[in-house]
Every structure is written in C-alpha cells, then in structure tokens.
C-alpha cells in the first residue's frame, strides 16, 4: 500500500543544536525520509546551527553518517541522500553574542515557511526566543519548536511560557511530546471517535478500570545526569502517560481541530483528583540480568530517583467517576510495551451457569511494538456437553490489516515536523496543558522529597516492584501481563 503524500510548502528549518544527539538520531533522519517520500520539497533548506566552527561540507558528512546509522537499510538510497545533503547548510552562531546571526539571516528565503527548532537545553529556550526575534529572523508566522522537558515543575514551566510569550504568540509555539506523533497514539482518537461501537460504553457505567502501561526493557544508558534529576515521574508520567490518559479519557471534541482537542485534553488533566500516598508505588532497578544497577549507572550511590512508578488515578468527572485509571511506567522491565487496556464490567445480568475463563481485560490497544488491537470475546466452547463458555482473542495487527505486514510506521518526528511546516498544532502541547500537567504531578514529587517514603527495589527483567501488584490486588484486580 502506498501512503498518500501531500508535499508541504517550501521551508527554511533552522536547527539550533544541529550537531546534537536529537538532530542526528531523529530530526535529520525524519527529514531525509520525508524527502525520499516526496513530502519535503527539494528546495527546502535546513540549516544546522551550533557553537563549533564547521564547514557545511563537514556538516553534510555528519548528516550522511547519521542517515546511515539511524535509517533502515532498505530506506537508504544514494540519490535521495544526495538530494537531502544538498538541502543542508551549517552556520556557527554564538547564542549570547553577535557572531553568526547576520550570516544566518542572509540564508533565509522571504517566501519560505520559517521554522526554528530549539533542540538545545531548556535553559536556552528563552534566550533563543529573544535573539531570533531581536536579530530580525522571526516573522509573524514563523514557528518555534521546543523539546521536552518543558520545565521541571509548574513554576519553571510557567516562567518559560511567559518568557517565550514575550516574543512569540501561542500559535507559533510547538511543544513536542513525541508520543503524540506516533501513528498508533493518534489511532486512539480514530478508534474512539470513528467507530460507533466504543463511545456509548466508554464510561464508568460499563468500564471497570483502565490500565496504561509504558514499559521499557532498556535502562537509563548514558543519560544519568539528566535522568537523576528527572526520574520516571518527570520523564514519562508528566508528559507521555498524561497524553495517553487524556486521549483515552477525553470527551469527543466538537471537531478535529487543534484547540478543540487541546481544550478537551486540558479538561481531563484538570479533573484528575489528588493522588493519595497509598496510591503510588515507586521503584528503582537493581543490578542484574547482565546489566548494572541504577545507582551505578546514574553515578549517585545515594540516589532516591525512581525508575519505576505505578499510580492509581481518579478522573473526577461525570464520565469517569468511580472508574480507576492505573498507570505504570518503568525502565529495565521484562519487555518493551506501550499499551492502553480497558476492562469492561460483566454484563448486568448473567444468564449462564458458568463464567468461562474470563480474564477481565477485554480491549487492549497496543501502541508499540506490533501495533494493533486485541479484544477478548466470550464465546461458546464448541462441541457437545452443554453451554460451556470460553474466552478467545480477536487479534488485529495494524501492519497485517493494512498491508500484509510490509507497512512501515513513520517515525513520530516525521509527522510532527511536517505538521509544524503545515502550521497544524493538533499534536503539540499547549502552554496551559503543560502547566496543568505539572500542577498535578508536583505534589506527588514534593511529598516524596518531604516524607522520605520507601523506594522499592526491583530486579531487572521483571514487572517492577511487587508492591505495584498489590496496588491492584487490594482492589481485586490484576495488571495485564507485560
Ligand atoms: C523519552 C524519555 O521522552 O521517551 C526516555 O526521555 C524514554 O526516557 C523515551 O526512553 C521513550 O520513547 P519511545 O518512543 O522509545 O517509547
């Protein structure tokens, strides 16, 4: 199946942090793929900006090796790579000084969409906003892209929002949460609002509980410095899990429009009840399973940073009151899996003598890997011997359903960067949304820092600390297998 590709308008994209890890791993490969797919025009212009003095030819070599390393072999071809490299230029710019800004300005085309991608430490967001503006690079419809983490708590996020608002309008600011760019995360909306089947039963009258899991088998790698300040709560819950929760729980927006959707997501965040101490479990991985422990990896033997967190969350609104949402995320777990599962209540009146092998969770939406949907249905166990029941899976893999297994899901960054050029903010977080998410997360983190509550150790390659199982057992429920 060939996906429909609608080319975007010619653009100038300036990547501050152009030689950094994110640019090499994600931004440049995403642009290359879009050029190869025919979506990025060949007269688009990508300017890598950094502190180093580097000839453009050397930058093109950096980009070429990034493409070779991070793009699948089947997607690599010399012609597309040459076309892509021709779009690239490099400039060294002193963010705080005068050097490089006028050279950068000279590269800009007046009739191109202008995008400034701040792929740098958040501490530089404000100064970069100011300088792009003061150096006459900004235009009334230019776009600014910022990466997470957007602040480390409510106060810092608000400061950043205020400082950026001094130079740019909200409609120009694109805050990335790359989970929103994942095809299957967007599918949550298609599934819910494109099928009459789900919405009538998508509420506390029919849903017993919802589970959202983002499990990773990898550890923190060489990101110890950043991670030890963040922990799973700031790194994953405040953003990625929160977005999944919003898309699962929100009301149908009146139309598929950026602000209509973001208004509904904001309402969900604002309905989240405070999380009680007994409803949170945090953990930290030990050494084992062929890897070192977190304490060793982060370089802080006394660290009390969580690499796992499980929470029971209440969405206190008309639709969800009484249906708990269980969230969990962790590193070095048994497998890598992102999934939203919905357990429906038993039918109101049961007419059969037996219950079959009912497991409780009837709908699981696998966001990665092996994107797809599984429904568990109760059927009659075939054969004579009375009305015996059996639960069987209705399993659908998107890849099989769409293209006999050969479909490649585009990387989140491909979709997101093209949306920036198109000026579509649907899949980006609005300032008030980010602040509301921090307001909910902050008290949990604050309590941890004040009450010295236990951090449970767990063996790598497991499902996390055993205490997270108790979080559900005490409600007579079970986590889905990971
Ligand atoms: C990032 C986090 O935002 O998301 C990482 O900082 C995490 O810690 C990553 O590993 C997970 O993203 P993905 O796309 O691999 O699920």
């Amino acid at each position: 199946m060939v996906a429909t590709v609608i080319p975007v308008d010619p653009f100038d994209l300036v990547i501050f942090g152009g030689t950094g890890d994110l640019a090499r791993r994600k931004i440049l490969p995403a642009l290359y793929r879009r050029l190869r797919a025919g979506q990025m025009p060949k007269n688009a212009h990508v300017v890598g900006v950094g502190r180093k003095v580097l000839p453009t030819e050397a930058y093109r070599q950096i980009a070429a090796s990034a493409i070779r390393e991070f793009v699948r072999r089947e997607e690599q071809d010399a012609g597309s790579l040459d076309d892509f490299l021709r779009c690239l230029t490099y400039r060294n710019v002193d963010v705080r000084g005068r050097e490089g800004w006028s050279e950068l300005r000279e590269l800009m085309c007046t009739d191109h969409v202008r995008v400034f991608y701040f792929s740098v430490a958040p501490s530089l967001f404000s100064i970069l906003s100011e300088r792009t503006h003061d150096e006459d690079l900004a235009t009334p419809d230019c776009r600014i892209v910022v990466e997470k983490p957007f602040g480390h708590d409510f106060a810092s996020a608000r400061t950043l929002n205020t400082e950026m608002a001094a130079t740019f309008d909200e409609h120009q600011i694109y805050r990335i949460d790359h989970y929103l760019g994942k095809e299957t995360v967007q599918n949550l909306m298609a599934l819910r609002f494109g099928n009459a089947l789900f919405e009538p039963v998508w509420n506390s009258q029919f849903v017993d509980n919802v589970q959202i899991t983002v499990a990773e088998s990898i550890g923190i790698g060489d990101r110890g410095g950043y991670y030890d300040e963040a922990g799973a709560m700031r790194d994953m819950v405040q953003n990625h899990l929160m977005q999944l929760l919003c898309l699962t729980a929100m009301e149908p927006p009146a139309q598929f429009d950026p602000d209509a959707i973001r208004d509904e997501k904001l309402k969900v965040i604002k309905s989240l009840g405070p999380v009680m101490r007994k409803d949170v479990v945090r953990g930290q991985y030990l050494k084992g399973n062929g890897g070192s422990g977190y304490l060793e990896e982060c370089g802080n033997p006394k660290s009390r940073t969580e690499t796992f967190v499980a929470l029971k969350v209440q969405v206190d609104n008309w639709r969800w009151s009484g249906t708990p949402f269980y969230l969990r995320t962790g590193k070095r777990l048994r497998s890598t899996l992102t999934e939203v599962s919905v357990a429906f209540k038993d039918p109101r009146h049961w007419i059969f003598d037996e219950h079959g092998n009912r497991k409780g969770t009837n709908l699981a939406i696998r966001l990665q890997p092996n994107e797809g949907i599984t429904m568990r249905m109760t059927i009659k166990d075939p054969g004579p011997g009375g009305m015996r029941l059996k639960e069987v899976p209705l399993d659908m893999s998107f890849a099989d359903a769409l293209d006999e297994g050969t479909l490649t899901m585009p990387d989140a960054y491909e979709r997101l960067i093209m949306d920036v050029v198109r000026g579509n903010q649907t899949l980006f977080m609005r300032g008030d949304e980010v602040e509301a998410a921090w307001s909910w997360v902050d008290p949990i983190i604050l309590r941890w820092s004040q009450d010295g509550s236990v951090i449970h150790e767990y063996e790598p390659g497991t499902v996390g600390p055993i205490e997270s199982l108790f979080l559900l057992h005490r409600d007579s429920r079970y986590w889905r297998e990971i």
Side-chain angles (χ1 to χ4, degrees), residues 27 125 152 217 268 294 308 391 403 429 464 466:
I27 306 173
F125 290 173
H152 60 270
S217 55
V268 174
Y294 175 73
F308 175 99
E391 204 174 68
D403 198 42
M429 293 180 297
I466 191 155

Side-chain angles (χ1 to χ4, degrees), residues 202-481:
W202 209 256
N203 56 53
S204 58
Q205 196 187 338
F206 296 98
V207 175
D208 177 74
N209 72 90
V210 177
Q211 298 182 14
I212 300 179
T213 297
V214 182
E216 294 181 283
S217 55
I218 53 162
I220 56 156
D222 53 11
R223 300 163 73 219
Y226 153 77
Y227 196 90
D228 207 42
E229 293 291 312
M233 201 68 182
R234 288 190 172 100
D235 185 49
M236 299 293 287
V237 177
Q238 187 270 346
N239 35 76
H240 307 326
L241 276 92
M242 182 66 79
Q243 291 298 324
L244 296 178
L245 169 64
C246 285
L247 294 176
T248 309
M250 74 185 193
E251 294 301 315
Q255 61 270 328
F256 198 78
D257 154 282
D259 275 325
I261 292 173
R262 297 185 302 173
D263 286 345
E264 295 305 337
K265 288 199 291 166
L266 180 63
K267 285 185 209 159
V268 174
I269 306 176
K270 289 193 165 169
S271 340
L272 298 180
V275 176
M276 286 185 277
R277 180 176 295 135
K278 68 175 180 45
D279 290 337
V280 194
V281 174
R282 59 179 181 146
Q284 195 181 71
Y285 63 80
L286 292 164
K287 179 179 173 164
N289 217 18
S292 7
Y294 175 73
L295 294 181
E296 215 178 309
E297 286 180 354
C298 76
N300 172 9
K302 295 214 169 94
S303 173
R304 287 179 50 76
T305 298
E306 75 289 353
T307 59
F308 175 99
V309 62
L311 306 124
K312 177 179 174 183
V313 176
Q314 300 293 347
V315 183
D316 290 332
N317 63 18
W318 192 267
R319 183 189 282 257
W320 291 116
S321 183
T323 295
F325 281 65
Y326 298 100
L327 272 47
R328 77 182 146 165
T329 183
K331 300 223 180 266
R332 280 277 164 81
L333 297 179
R334 185 185 285 163
S335 57
T336 295
L337 172 83
T338 301
E339 188 182 78
V340 174
S341 68
V342 179
F344 288 97
K345 292 180 176 171
D346 280 341
R348 197 171 295 167
H349 174 61
W350 193 254
I351 60 169
F352 306 105
D353 291 337
E354 61 161 282
H355 257 75
N357 57 343
R358 297 170 63 76
K359 293 229 173 57
T361 302
N362 324 73
L363 173 66
I365 305 160
R366 279 189 314 277
L367 304 167
Q368 60 183 26
N370 307 328
E371 297 83 351
I373 298 177
T374 303
M375 283 182 84
R376 294 192 73 84
M377 310 290 290
T378 297
I379 61 160
K380 179 189 172 296
D381 199 3
M387 190 65 170
R388 289 179 326 238
L389 301 179
K390 188 178 170 65
E391 204 174 68
V392 290
L394 241 183
D395 217 339
M396 188 192 75
S397 138
F398 291 150
D400 290 346
L402 293 171
D403 198 42
E404 296 162 358
T406 57
L407 182 85
T408 326
M409 291 281 179
D411 183 76
Y413 279 83
E414 294 176 54
R415 169 68 197 259
L416 294 175
I417 298 171
M418 292 299 106
D419 274 2
V420 174
V421 177
R422 277 189 284 248
N424 184 342
Q425 290 188 305
T426 308
L427 301 176
F428 297 85
M429 293 180 297
R430 213 167 53 189
D432 50 2
E433 219 183 311
V434 179
E435 289 181 12
W438 280 122
S439 299
W440 181 75
V441 158
D442 278 356
I444 304 171
I445 299 176
L446 181 69
R447 191 168 60 216
W448 284 340
S449 69
Q450 289 174 342
D451 71 2
S453 63
V454 197
I455 180 153
H456 303 283
E457 296 173 331
Y458 61 96
E459 300 286 338
T462 64
V463 295
I466 191 155
E467 287 73 12
S468 89
L469 307 184
F470 300 153
L471 189 68
L472 271 77
H473 286 188
R474 66 165 204 234
D475 295 345
S476 306
R477 296 186 177 108
Y478 303 89
W479 286 111
R480 265 177 66 82
E481 284 284 311

Side-chain angles (χ1 to χ4, degrees), residues 96-218:
R96 294 199 158 79
R98 306 237 28 108
E99 209 180 317
W101 289 100
S102 60
E103 289 83 351
L104 187 57
R105 197 165 45 240
E106 280 160 19
L107 290 175
M108 300 289 111
C109 293
T110 46
D111 56 349
H112 278 194
V113 173
R114 212 172 271 194
V115 180
F116 299 100
Y117 200 128
F118 295 174
S119 175
V120 291
S123 55
L124 293 175
F125 290 173
S126 300
I127 175 89
L128 273 175
S129 304
E130 208 179 293
R131 295 306 304 275
T132 34
H133 189 264
D134 293 352
E135 293 292 337
D136 255 353
L137 282 156
T139 53
D141 78 337
C142 73
R143 285 128 215 198
I144 304 296
V145 185
V146 289
E147 278 290 334
K148 82 167 246 275
F150 196 83
H152 60 270
D153 56 11
F154 170 78
S156 55
R158 165 132 314 168
T159 305
L160 265 182
N161 275 334
T162 314
E163 286 172 355
M164 292 188 74
T167 34
F168 297 104
D169 280 348
E170 183 61 32
H171 79 270
Q172 296 179 280
I173 305 175
Y174 291 72
R175 297 175 192 79
I176 287 200
D177 179 320
H178 77 280
Y179 265 56
L180 288 175
K182 290 180 191 273
E183 285 286 319
T184 41
V185 173
Q186 296 162 53
N187 235 327
L188 274 171
M189 283 189 279
L191 185 78
R192 282 191 60 196
F193 307 133
N195 297 285
L197 181 67
F198 295 114
E199 216 40 34
V201 291
W202 209 256
N203 56 53
S204 58
Q205 196 187 338
F206 296 98
V207 175
D208 177 74
N209 72 90
V210 177
Q211 298 182 14
I212 300 179
T213 297
V214 182
E216 294 181 283
S217 55
I218 53 162

